[in-house]
Amino acid sequence: MTALKLTPADVRGSNNRSAAVRAVIRSNGPCTLNEICIALGISDSYTRCAIRSTLRAMKQDQVVTCTDGAKPHRWSILREPQERNFLNPPKPRDQVWAEKAAAAYKNAEAAYLQWRADTAHDKRPIAQRVREIAKQLGEATADQIYTALGLTPEVGRVRMYSIIHCLARDGMLERIPGRPLRYRWLRDPSPSSRPQRRSGGADSARRTAKLQREAEKEAARQQRATARKEAMAQRAALRVQERDQRAAERTRRAQERAEQLAQKQGAHIARLAAATARMAERTVVTPKPAAMASETVDQWIARTGKQPELLPNNFDDPITSFPRRRPIFNPKGHTA
């Protein structure tokens, strides 16, 4: 048997696992699972399980097949898989379903409009047609009613089931439970519940009265809007007037305070000037200190009999050492 140079790590990958299996089957003919693993150089059970799952997936896709009845199964190739289109990936399932639903509704709407156009000669309402069909059939499902009307069940379910539901809700049709639901005719609508048609003159008078009421409402609305605008302008003018009055009052009070302060400061300044003049008139004679005779060192020694203290040469140097302490140095390495 021809052994491919593939490692278990390569076979476990999703890119060439099925291709490697199909290459072994093409080169060696129908093979069992053990023969495929030996040809691929697989010895671990984990990769063996991956090969088994690959064979099952290809069998489900009808790419390979296995012999029935004989064990161990021998696998053979039916066809080559189609190449994947990586440039145009498939659409998501929800998007595909939404597009199909939209297309189905659009087609149903078009079919319903076509049915309305084809049955335009029949002046009866659709609800009356449904009641007459239910009366003729005795018991009928919704699909049977759609078919009797000339519609397909798909179009009827999309467009007309609400009419049957409203007839059953109003008590004109009886809904019989079951799968599917069946409907039976009960009664027709009473004449008192039908809308009464009015004559053309009454309709025109009603429209004229309605237009007149709308014109009166519009005139009243315009009048109220004008009154609101005038009131707003008056209030704005009043606010401006009150603001100017408050500003004038503040200015008057400020002037009064300034005048009072000037009067007070004038009397105070006059008093300060008089006191300054009086102080300038006074002349104070500053006594001079008496002259003292200086004493020399020899005179001090003769007078006291003492000797001056002799200071060491390094008296002015800073103290850099203390008891039980290290010498103090600054960052540059010199003594402090």
Side-chain angles (χ1 to χ4, degrees):
M1 299 178 66
T2 303
L4 299 178
K5 296 181 179 179
L6 295 174
T7 62
D10 295 332
V11 176
R12 289 174 191 169
S14 59
N15 295 329
N16 58 358
R17 186 193 308 168
S18 60
V21 171
R22 283 186 277 107
V24 170
I25 297 176
R26 277 197 306 268
S27 60
N28 301 308
C31 303
T32 62
L33 176 62
N34 291 336
E35 293 174 352
I36 293 173
C37 291
I38 292 173
L40 293 176
I42 296 171
S43 59
D44 58 319
S45 60
Y46 180 82
T47 314
R48 180 187 176 91
C49 294
I51 295 297
R52 184 185 292 110
S53 64
T54 302
L55 289 171
R56 290 176 180 174
M58 288 194 294
K59 180 181 179 183
Q60 187 176 4
D61 296 338
Q62 297 181 357
V63 175
V64 299
T65 183
C66 63
T67 56
D68 295 334
K71 289 188 177 181
H73 298 301
R74 289 190 170 273
W75 300 86
S76 58
I77 299 177
L78 291 178
R79 63 177 180 86
E80 290 294 330
Q82 298 179 356
E83 295 183 359
R84 296 181 181 180
N85 187 1
F86 293 98
L87 298 179
N88 298 322
K91 298 180 181 179
R93 291 185 179 181
D94 53 351
Q95 183 179 355
V96 173
W97 184 86
E99 292 178 356
K100 287 184 178 180
Y105 183 81
K106 185 176 181 180
N107 297 335
E109 184 74 12
Y112 174 74
L113 295 177
Q114 183 65 32
W115 173 79
R116 289 290 299 269
D118 296 341
T119 59
H121 62 278
D122 193 350
K123 302 301 180 182
R124 297 175 301 170
I126 299 176
Q128 183 179 353
R129 303 183 206 177
V130 172
R131 290 195 304 271
E132 292 179 359
I133 291 173
K135 189 185 302 184
Q136 293 174 2
L137 299 178
E139 291 183 4
T141 62
D143 290 350
Q144 292 175 354
I145 295 174
Y146 305 147
T147 305
L149 287 173
L151 286 170
T152 59
E154 290 77 9
V155 178
R157 295 190 193 102
V158 173
R159 290 289 300 162
M160 295 187 57
Y161 181 74
S162 59
I163 298 176
I164 301 177
H165 171 73
C166 292
L167 291 175
R169 180 199 61 189
D170 297 339
M172 301 180 191
L173 295 181
E174 179 186 2
R175 184 184 288 112
I176 302 173
R179 288 180 177 272
L181 292 174
R182 306 182 70 84
Y183 299 91
R184 183 189 299 121
W185 176 83
L186 290 180
R187 64 175 181 85
D188 289 329
S190 58
S192 60
S193 62
R194 294 179 181 177
Q196 298 179 358
R197 293 184 176 272
R198 300 180 181 179
S199 61
D203 292 342
S204 62
R206 187 174 68 257
R207 285 195 297 270
T208 304
K210 182 179 179 180
L211 293 176
Q212 184 177 0
R213 289 194 302 270
E214 290 179 355
E216 293 176 355
K217 289 182 180 178
E218 181 66 18
R221 189 183 68 80
Q222 292 290 346
Q223 185 178 1
R224 290 194 299 270
T226 305
R228 285 197 300 270
K229 290 182 179 178
E230 293 178 355
M232 289 174 60
Q234 293 177 1
R235 288 195 296 269
L238 182 60
R239 285 196 296 270
V240 171
Q241 184 180 0
E242 293 177 353
R243 183 188 62 191
D244 295 341
Q245 291 179 358
R246 289 194 299 270
E249 183 66 19
R250 286 196 298 270
T251 304
R252 186 183 61 80
R253 292 180 181 177
Q255 292 178 356
E256 291 180 357
R257 288 194 299 270
E259 292 176 357
Q260 294 176 3
L261 181 61
Q263 292 177 1
K264 293 180 180 179
Q265 287 182 351
H268 180 63
I269 290 173
R271 288 195 299 270
L272 291 178
T276 304
R278 289 194 301 271
M279 291 179 64
E281 293 177 356
R282 299 176 183 176
T283 55
V284 179
V285 179
T286 303
K288 295 182 179 180
M292 297 180 63
S294 59
E295 186 178 14
T296 61
V297 177
D298 297 337
Q299 293 176 356
W300 178 82
I301 293 174
R303 182 172 60 84
T304 59
K306 299 180 180 179
Q307 293 293 333
E309 182 181 359
L310 296 179
L311 299 178
N313 296 331
N314 58 351
F315 176 78
D316 295 332
D317 294 345
I319 301 175
T320 58
S321 61
F322 300 91
R324 294 188 178 182
R325 292 190 185 180
R326 295 180 180 178
I328 299 176
F329 295 96
N330 59 14
K332 293 185 179 180
H334 307 292
T335 57

